[in-house]
Amino acid sequence: MFKAFLVKYGEIGIKGKNRHLFEDCLMDQIRFAMRRIECPFEVTKEQGRIYVEMMDSFDYDEVVETLQHVFGIVAICPVTVAQKGDWDQLCKAAGDYVDEVYPDKNFSFKVFGRRGDKRFPKTSMELAADLGEYLLDRFPEMHVDVHHPEVSLTVEIRDRVFIYSISVPGPGGMPVGSNGRATLLLSGGIDSPVAGYMIAKRGVKIDAVYFHAPPYTSERAKQKVKDLASLVAVYAGPIKLHIVNFTDIQLAIYEKCPHDELTIIMRRYMMRIAEKIALSEDSIGLITGESIGQVASQTLQSLRATNAVCTLPVYRPLIGFDKNDIVEVSEKIGTFETSIQPFEDCCTIFVAKHPVTKPSVRAMERSEHHLKDVIDELVQTAIETREIVVCE
Ligand code: ATP
Ligand code: MG
């Protein structure tokens, strides 16, 4: 019965020129998200509304679920389509729609007319009144309530007639690509995939960097991070993942720096390398899964010491989240099960028993001074030898 979907999107703050960018971006994202749908479809924009029209028979649940992953969509309304030439036929189509969608007719309703085509012989008010009358005749159990109807049936006159009353919630947010590009430091944990999801939801295109330390970390651990990137990509679109071999840098730090500072110094090099990669990819921000106080490397002093090596802004969308809240989001978006697979990540191998919790920037710089003969070349090599995969 459904032939199309009306896509509703948030309009606050997207007035003027930005509105077109937003809409075009949303249409691109819808087309991309639906690339695996077998049925041919068309995405069109008309009078500030976006429609996805299905050209053949299709799997309703599959399409709705796909659209529910497209940021920027606030609601998805499945639509039935009628011809507008013949009033009786239009009424019949609306009646058949009601009959099928609401087997139990004991409800209140109101008809909303929207006349996109001003040549249509009835005004919006007449359209609503006359169709309401037809429906009351055909289904006497239904009754009209113009103030608080249980069912709002909208009939839109365009080149054809669009009839709908159901609204399925979308994910909200802004379409990916409408707000620039940033680089996610993606580990195999619970937090960073959630952080990437949250920033992508604001319309930001995401790249990712993963640091591994073979042979201390395994191929399985690397595969897990690729899997996580693919799961985030269900929402964020394809993610270009840079896999950086961090082993020699970690060994150098281990050999030359105080062990209680290993984690912070490592984190500082991760940030430096991620920033260099980001800048070479026209990405203008870094994203991490850090949250205040979660571990020793995320105290305010540690965050300051880590932050001090970056010039790009670092977005930490989970900064005020409790672990429980992060877990909840990760379950909702489908990354949790993968995140908890027990593969070592490169930080856990070189962690000290008693890491510093109040590192000063000066102290870190002094310790890093011990690396001065080797580190530039190691960083350069790590960047040059990185592996790049696109996860989708
Ligand atoms: P997560 O659950 O995201 O792994 P975490 O609680 O384990 O986070 P840390 O290991 O201290 O926290 O890492 C803090 C942040 O640093 C991570 O959220 C991630 O953004 C980044 N990070 C940590 N390890 C790596 C890694 N191996 N590769 C890329 N980024 C990393
Ligand atoms: Mg981690």
mmCIF file of all heavy atoms in Angstrom, residues 208-214 217 222 241-250 269-270 273-274 277 346 378-388:
data_model
loop_
_atom_site.group_PDB
_atom_site.id
_atom_site.type_symbol
_atom_site.label_atom_id
_atom_site.label_comp_id
_atom_site.label_asym_id
_atom_site.label_seq_id
_atom_site.Cartn_x
_atom_site.Cartn_y
_atom_site.Cartn_z
ATOM 1 N N ALA A 208 39.059 7.924 10.986
ATOM 2 C CA ALA A 208 39.489 7.334 12.260
ATOM 3 C C ALA A 208 40.962 6.940 12.202
ATOM 4 O O ALA A 208 41.496 6.652 11.128
ATOM 5 C CB ALA A 208 38.626 6.117 12.588
ATOM 6 N N VAL A 209 41.597 6.971 13.368
ATOM 7 C CA VAL A 209 42.984 6.500 13.494
ATOM 8 C C VAL A 209 43.020 5.462 14.609
ATOM 9 O O VAL A 209 42.486 5.683 15.694
ATOM 10 C CB VAL A 209 43.949 7.652 13.853
ATOM 11 C CG1 VAL A 209 45.378 7.133 13.926
ATOM 12 C CG2 VAL A 209 43.859 8.786 12.856
ATOM 13 N N TYR A 210 43.650 4.335 14.309
ATOM 14 C CA TYR A 210 43.826 3.290 15.322
ATOM 15 C C TYR A 210 45.317 2.985 15.448
ATOM 16 O O TYR A 210 46.007 2.795 14.446
ATOM 17 C CB TYR A 210 43.058 2.020 14.907
ATOM 18 C CG TYR A 210 43.426 0.775 15.684
ATOM 19 C CD1 TYR A 210 43.302 0.726 17.073
ATOM 20 C CD2 TYR A 210 43.902 -0.364 15.023
ATOM 21 C CE1 TYR A 210 43.649 -0.419 17.785
ATOM 22 C CE2 TYR A 210 44.241 -1.518 15.726
ATOM 23 C CZ TYR A 210 44.122 -1.528 17.108
ATOM 24 O OH TYR A 210 44.461 -2.657 17.806
ATOM 25 N N PHE A 211 45.803 2.950 16.692
ATOM 26 C CA PHE A 211 47.206 2.628 16.943
ATOM 27 C C PHE A 211 47.298 1.199 17.427
ATOM 28 O O PHE A 211 46.657 0.840 18.420
ATOM 29 C CB PHE A 211 47.773 3.572 18.014
ATOM 30 C CG PHE A 211 47.773 5.006 17.578
ATOM 31 C CD1 PHE A 211 46.672 5.819 17.838
ATOM 32 C CD2 PHE A 211 48.851 5.543 16.876
ATOM 33 C CE1 PHE A 211 46.656 7.144 17.422
ATOM 34 C CE2 PHE A 211 48.833 6.864 16.455
ATOM 35 C CZ PHE A 211 47.738 7.667 16.729
ATOM 36 N N HIS A 212 48.075 0.412 16.719
ATOM 37 C CA HIS A 212 48.276 -0.946 17.227
ATOM 38 C C HIS A 212 49.769 -1.217 17.411
ATOM 39 O O HIS A 212 50.611 -0.420 16.978
ATOM 40 C CB HIS A 212 47.600 -1.999 16.331
ATOM 41 C CG HIS A 212 48.213 -2.185 14.994
ATOM 42 N ND1 HIS A 212 48.116 -3.373 14.309
ATOM 43 C CD2 HIS A 212 48.917 -1.353 14.197
ATOM 44 C CE1 HIS A 212 48.734 -3.253 13.144
ATOM 45 N NE2 HIS A 212 49.216 -2.054 13.048
ATOM 46 N N ALA A 213 50.065 -2.313 18.101
ATOM 47 C CA ALA A 213 51.453 -2.587 18.458
ATOM 48 C C ALA A 213 51.779 -4.052 18.222
ATOM 49 O O ALA A 213 52.012 -4.809 19.162
ATOM 50 C CB ALA A 213 51.697 -2.204 19.912
ATOM 51 N N PRO A 214 51.767 -4.465 16.938
ATOM 52 C CA PRO A 214 52.110 -5.856 16.680
ATOM 53 C C PRO A 214 53.567 -6.105 17.058
ATOM 54 O O PRO A 214 54.388 -5.200 16.886
ATOM 55 C CB PRO A 214 51.899 -5.991 15.163
ATOM 56 C CG PRO A 214 51.996 -4.601 14.619
ATOM 57 C CD PRO A 214 51.521 -3.696 15.724
ATOM 58 N N THR A 217 49.987 -6.618 20.105
ATOM 59 C CA THR A 217 48.543 -6.688 19.861
ATOM 60 C C THR A 217 48.328 -7.551 18.619
ATOM 61 O O THR A 217 49.173 -7.592 17.722
ATOM 62 C CB THR A 217 47.918 -5.306 19.625
ATOM 63 O OG1 THR A 217 48.500 -4.734 18.451
ATOM 64 C CG2 THR A 217 48.151 -4.380 20.804
ATOM 65 N N LYS A 222 42.964 -5.901 15.774
ATOM 66 C CA LYS A 222 42.849 -4.960 14.661
ATOM 67 C C LYS A 222 41.527 -5.159 13.921
ATOM 68 O O LYS A 222 40.836 -4.201 13.577
ATOM 69 C CB LYS A 222 44.037 -5.186 13.721
ATOM 70 C CG LYS A 222 44.018 -4.377 12.454
ATOM 71 C CD LYS A 222 45.391 -4.455 11.804
ATOM 72 C CE LYS A 222 45.282 -4.808 10.342
ATOM 73 N NZ LYS A 222 46.607 -4.984 9.720
ATOM 74 N N LEU A 241 39.778 4.518 7.755
ATOM 75 C CA LEU A 241 40.486 4.154 8.990
ATOM 76 C C LEU A 241 41.989 4.059 8.722
ATOM 77 O O LEU A 241 42.419 3.305 7.848
ATOM 78 C CB LEU A 241 39.949 2.803 9.499
ATOM 79 C CG LEU A 241 40.668 2.157 10.674
ATOM 80 C CD1 LEU A 241 40.530 2.983 11.950
ATOM 81 C CD2 LEU A 241 40.131 0.730 10.920
ATOM 82 N N HIS A 242 42.756 4.847 9.473
ATOM 83 C CA HIS A 242 44.218 4.823 9.354
ATOM 84 C C HIS A 242 44.759 3.944 10.478
ATOM 85 O O HIS A 242 44.534 4.246 11.663
ATOM 86 C CB HIS A 242 44.793 6.233 9.506
ATOM 87 C CG HIS A 242 44.241 7.214 8.509
ATOM 88 N ND1 HIS A 242 44.914 7.572 7.363
ATOM 89 C CD2 HIS A 242 43.060 7.878 8.470
ATOM 90 C CE1 HIS A 242 44.177 8.437 6.675
ATOM 91 N NE2 HIS A 242 43.049 8.638 7.320
ATOM 92 N N ILE A 243 45.442 2.876 10.096
ATOM 93 C CA ILE A 243 45.975 1.961 11.110
ATOM 94 C C ILE A 243 47.474 2.207 11.235
ATOM 95 O O ILE A 243 48.236 1.986 10.284
ATOM 96 C CB ILE A 243 45.675 0.503 10.727
ATOM 97 C CG1 ILE A 243 44.156 0.324 10.606
ATOM 98 C CG2 ILE A 243 46.268 -0.456 11.752
ATOM 99 C CD1 ILE A 243 43.735 -0.984 9.975
ATOM 100 N N VAL A 244 47.880 2.701 12.396
ATOM 101 C CA VAL A 244 49.259 3.145 12.591
ATOM 102 C C VAL A 244 49.992 2.130 13.463
ATOM 103 O O VAL A 244 49.512 1.758 14.544
ATOM 104 C CB VAL A 244 49.278 4.528 13.290
ATOM 105 C CG1 VAL A 244 50.702 4.965 13.595
ATOM 106 C CG2 VAL A 244 48.551 5.570 12.444
ATOM 107 N N ASN A 245 51.163 1.712 12.989
ATOM 108 C CA ASN A 245 51.988 0.809 13.784
ATOM 109 C C ASN A 245 52.764 1.616 14.820
ATOM 110 O O ASN A 245 53.646 2.398 14.500
ATOM 111 C CB ASN A 245 52.947 0.046 12.863
ATOM 112 C CG ASN A 245 53.718 -1.005 13.632
ATOM 113 O OD1 ASN A 245 54.027 -0.817 14.822
ATOM 114 N ND2 ASN A 245 54.025 -2.103 12.985
ATOM 115 N N PHE A 246 52.413 1.369 16.078
ATOM 116 C CA PHE A 246 52.892 2.194 17.181
ATOM 117 C C PHE A 246 53.966 1.467 17.998
ATOM 118 O O PHE A 246 54.463 1.987 18.985
ATOM 119 C CB PHE A 246 51.660 2.480 18.056
ATOM 120 C CG PHE A 246 51.723 3.726 18.896
ATOM 121 C CD1 PHE A 246 52.065 4.966 18.352
ATOM 122 C CD2 PHE A 246 51.400 3.678 20.247
ATOM 123 C CE1 PHE A 246 52.090 6.119 19.131
ATOM 124 C CE2 PHE A 246 51.417 4.816 21.045
ATOM 125 C CZ PHE A 246 51.769 6.042 20.485
ATOM 126 N N THR A 247 54.342 0.265 17.569
ATOM 127 C CA THR A 247 55.215 -0.584 18.392
ATOM 128 C C THR A 247 56.544 0.082 18.727
ATOM 129 O O THR A 247 56.933 0.156 19.899
ATOM 130 C CB THR A 247 55.490 -1.920 17.665
ATOM 131 O OG1 THR A 247 54.256 -2.454 17.217
ATOM 132 C CG2 THR A 247 56.179 -2.906 18.591
ATOM 133 N N ASP A 248 57.220 0.585 17.713
ATOM 134 C CA ASP A 248 58.565 1.108 17.975
ATOM 135 C C ASP A 248 58.519 2.347 18.863
ATOM 136 O O ASP A 248 59.404 2.566 19.693
ATOM 137 C CB ASP A 248 59.280 1.414 16.651
ATOM 138 C CG ASP A 248 59.634 0.128 15.909
ATOM 139 O OD1 ASP A 248 59.619 -0.947 16.563
ATOM 140 O OD2 ASP A 248 59.899 0.186 14.696
ATOM 141 N N ILE A 249 57.482 3.137 18.689
ATOM 142 C CA ILE A 249 57.337 4.320 19.543
ATOM 143 C C ILE A 249 57.084 3.883 20.984
ATOM 144 O O ILE A 249 57.714 4.373 21.933
ATOM 145 C CB ILE A 249 56.197 5.223 19.029
ATOM 146 C CG1 ILE A 249 56.569 5.794 17.655
ATOM 147 C CG2 ILE A 249 55.894 6.352 20.024
ATOM 148 C CD1 ILE A 249 55.480 6.572 16.968
ATOM 149 N N GLN A 250 56.225 2.905 21.147
ATOM 150 C CA GLN A 250 55.950 2.424 22.503
ATOM 151 C C GLN A 250 57.201 1.835 23.153
ATOM 152 O O GLN A 250 57.471 2.074 24.323
ATOM 153 C CB GLN A 250 54.846 1.367 22.465
ATOM 154 C CG GLN A 250 53.479 1.978 22.710
ATOM 155 C CD GLN A 250 52.400 0.934 22.863
ATOM 156 O OE1 GLN A 250 52.257 0.074 22.010
ATOM 157 N NE2 GLN A 250 51.645 1.023 23.925
ATOM 158 N N TYR A 269 51.747 11.095 22.192
ATOM 159 C CA TYR A 269 52.201 10.783 20.822
ATOM 160 C C TYR A 269 51.041 10.358 19.924
ATOM 161 O O TYR A 269 51.017 10.665 18.729
ATOM 162 C CB TYR A 269 53.360 9.767 20.830
ATOM 163 C CG TYR A 269 54.649 10.495 21.133
ATOM 164 C CD1 TYR A 269 55.221 10.448 22.399
ATOM 165 C CD2 TYR A 269 55.240 11.314 20.172
ATOM 166 C CE1 TYR A 269 56.350 11.182 22.710
ATOM 167 C CE2 TYR A 269 56.371 12.057 20.466
ATOM 168 C CZ TYR A 269 56.921 11.985 21.732
ATOM 169 O OH TYR A 269 58.031 12.742 22.022
ATOM 170 N N MET A 270 50.092 9.677 20.504
ATOM 171 C CA MET A 270 48.903 9.338 19.694
ATOM 172 C C MET A 270 48.230 10.611 19.178
ATOM 173 O O MET A 270 47.839 10.695 18.016
ATOM 174 C CB MET A 270 47.874 8.581 20.538
ATOM 175 C CG MET A 270 48.200 7.130 20.782
ATOM 176 S SD MET A 270 46.774 6.395 21.642
ATOM 177 C CE MET A 270 47.426 4.783 21.992
ATOM 178 N N ILE A 273 50.311 12.292 16.418
ATOM 179 C CA ILE A 273 50.259 11.585 15.136
ATOM 180 C C ILE A 273 48.867 11.733 14.517
ATOM 181 O O ILE A 273 48.736 11.997 13.316
ATOM 182 C CB ILE A 273 50.638 10.097 15.325
ATOM 183 C CG1 ILE A 273 52.122 10.004 15.688
ATOM 184 C CG2 ILE A 273 50.332 9.287 14.068
ATOM 185 C CD1 ILE A 273 52.578 8.600 16.081
ATOM 186 N N ALA A 274 47.843 11.599 15.345
ATOM 187 C CA ALA A 274 46.475 11.744 14.821
ATOM 188 C C ALA A 274 46.294 13.137 14.227
ATOM 189 O O ALA A 274 45.664 13.303 13.175
ATOM 190 C CB ALA A 274 45.457 11.496 15.935
ATOM 191 N N ILE A 277 47.988 13.313 10.811
ATOM 192 C CA ILE A 277 47.187 12.598 9.806
ATOM 193 C C ILE A 277 45.938 13.415 9.477
ATOM 194 O O ILE A 277 45.584 13.602 8.309
ATOM 195 C CB ILE A 277 46.818 11.184 10.296
ATOM 196 C CG1 ILE A 277 48.078 10.322 10.372
ATOM 197 C CG2 ILE A 277 45.784 10.538 9.374
ATOM 198 C CD1 ILE A 277 47.867 8.934 10.976
ATOM 199 N N CYS A 346 46.508 -1.743 22.626
ATOM 200 C CA CYS A 346 47.943 -1.514 22.739
ATOM 201 C C CYS A 346 48.313 -0.813 24.041
ATOM 202 O O CYS A 346 49.432 -0.899 24.501
ATOM 203 C CB CYS A 346 48.499 -0.783 21.529
ATOM 204 S SG CYS A 346 48.143 0.956 21.486
ATOM 205 N N LEU A 378 60.848 8.061 14.202
ATOM 206 C CA LEU A 378 59.862 7.015 14.514
ATOM 207 C C LEU A 378 58.443 7.489 14.166
ATOM 208 O O LEU A 378 57.642 6.742 13.602
ATOM 209 C CB LEU A 378 59.941 6.623 15.990
ATOM 210 C CG LEU A 378 61.196 5.854 16.423
ATOM 211 C CD1 LEU A 378 61.160 5.583 17.936
ATOM 212 C CD2 LEU A 378 61.325 4.541 15.649
ATOM 213 N N VAL A 379 58.156 8.737 14.498
ATOM 214 C CA VAL A 379 56.828 9.286 14.206
ATOM 215 C C VAL A 379 56.616 9.340 12.696
ATOM 216 O O VAL A 379 55.570 8.931 12.175
ATOM 217 C CB VAL A 379 56.664 10.690 14.847
ATOM 218 C CG1 VAL A 379 55.454 11.419 14.269
ATOM 219 C CG2 VAL A 379 56.540 10.574 16.363
ATOM 220 N N GLN A 380 57.648 9.830 12.008
ATOM 221 C CA GLN A 380 57.562 9.934 10.552
ATOM 222 C C GLN A 380 57.287 8.562 9.925
ATOM 223 O O GLN A 380 56.412 8.403 9.074
ATOM 224 C CB GLN A 380 58.890 10.528 10.038
ATOM 225 C CG GLN A 380 58.851 11.029 8.610
ATOM 226 C CD GLN A 380 57.738 12.053 8.406
ATOM 227 O OE1 GLN A 380 57.381 12.801 9.323
ATOM 228 N NE2 GLN A 380 57.143 12.054 7.213
ATOM 229 N N THR A 381 58.073 7.568 10.382
ATOM 230 C CA THR A 381 57.906 6.218 9.838
ATOM 231 C C THR A 381 56.509 5.674 10.142
ATOM 232 O O THR A 381 55.859 5.078 9.278
ATOM 233 C CB THR A 381 58.964 5.265 10.437
ATOM 234 O OG1 THR A 381 60.243 5.851 10.205
ATOM 235 C CG2 THR A 381 58.915 3.889 9.794
ATOM 236 N N ALA A 382 56.055 5.901 11.356
ATOM 237 C CA ALA A 382 54.726 5.394 11.732
ATOM 238 C C ALA A 382 53.657 5.978 10.808
ATOM 239 O O ALA A 382 52.742 5.276 10.355
ATOM 240 C CB ALA A 382 54.422 5.742 13.188
ATOM 241 N N ILE A 383 53.788 7.253 10.507
ATOM 242 C CA ILE A 383 52.787 7.891 9.639
ATOM 243 C C ILE A 383 52.901 7.361 8.210
ATOM 244 O O ILE A 383 51.905 7.021 7.564
ATOM 245 C CB ILE A 383 52.940 9.430 9.676
ATOM 246 C CG1 ILE A 383 52.555 9.943 11.070
ATOM 247 C CG2 ILE A 383 52.084 10.098 8.595
ATOM 248 C CD1 ILE A 383 52.810 11.416 11.303
ATOM 249 N N GLU A 384 54.147 7.271 7.743
ATOM 250 C CA GLU A 384 54.335 6.848 6.348
ATOM 251 C C GLU A 384 53.904 5.407 6.108
ATOM 252 O O GLU A 384 53.462 5.061 5.024
ATOM 253 C CB GLU A 384 55.805 7.023 5.941
ATOM 254 C CG GLU A 384 56.125 8.458 5.575
ATOM 255 C CD GLU A 384 57.623 8.714 5.493
ATOM 256 O OE1 GLU A 384 58.416 7.750 5.576
ATOM 257 O OE2 GLU A 384 57.995 9.905 5.356
ATOM 258 N N THR A 385 54.079 4.560 7.105
ATOM 259 C CA THR A 385 53.782 3.135 6.889
ATOM 260 C C THR A 385 52.363 2.766 7.303
ATOM 261 O O THR A 385 52.021 1.595 7.387
ATOM 262 C CB THR A 385 54.754 2.240 7.704
ATOM 263 O OG1 THR A 385 54.619 2.575 9.089
ATOM 264 C CG2 THR A 385 56.188 2.443 7.273
ATOM 265 N N ARG A 386 51.557 3.763 7.569
ATOM 266 C CA ARG A 386 50.193 3.435 8.022
ATOM 267 C C ARG A 386 49.423 2.724 6.922
ATOM 268 O O ARG A 386 49.666 2.943 5.728
ATOM 269 C CB ARG A 386 49.457 4.684 8.475
ATOM 270 C CG ARG A 386 48.991 5.608 7.354
ATOM 271 C CD ARG A 386 48.431 6.880 7.975
ATOM 272 N NE ARG A 386 47.784 7.758 7.011
ATOM 273 C CZ ARG A 386 48.378 8.721 6.323
ATOM 274 N NH1 ARG A 386 49.708 8.894 6.435
ATOM 275 N NH2 ARG A 386 47.692 9.498 5.507
ATOM 276 N N GLU A 387 48.513 1.893 7.382
ATOM 277 C CA GLU A 387 47.640 1.170 6.447
ATOM 278 C C GLU A 387 46.313 1.927 6.439
ATOM 279 O O GLU A 387 45.858 2.401 7.474
ATOM 280 C CB GLU A 387 47.457 -0.242 7.008
ATOM 281 C CG GLU A 387 46.626 -1.178 6.187
ATOM 282 C CD GLU A 387 46.273 -2.449 6.979
ATOM 283 O OE1 GLU A 387 46.933 -2.750 8.007
ATOM 284 O OE2 GLU A 387 45.314 -3.114 6.569
ATOM 285 N N ILE A 388 45.711 2.045 5.271
ATOM 286 C CA ILE A 388 44.434 2.767 5.202
ATOM 287 C C ILE A 388 43.349 1.831 4.664
ATOM 288 O O ILE A 388 43.534 1.213 3.609
ATOM 289 C CB ILE A 388 44.544 4.014 4.291
ATOM 290 C CG1 ILE A 388 45.609 4.966 4.835
ATOM 291 C CG2 ILE A 388 43.188 4.724 4.189
ATOM 292 C CD1 ILE A 388 45.860 6.198 3.976
#
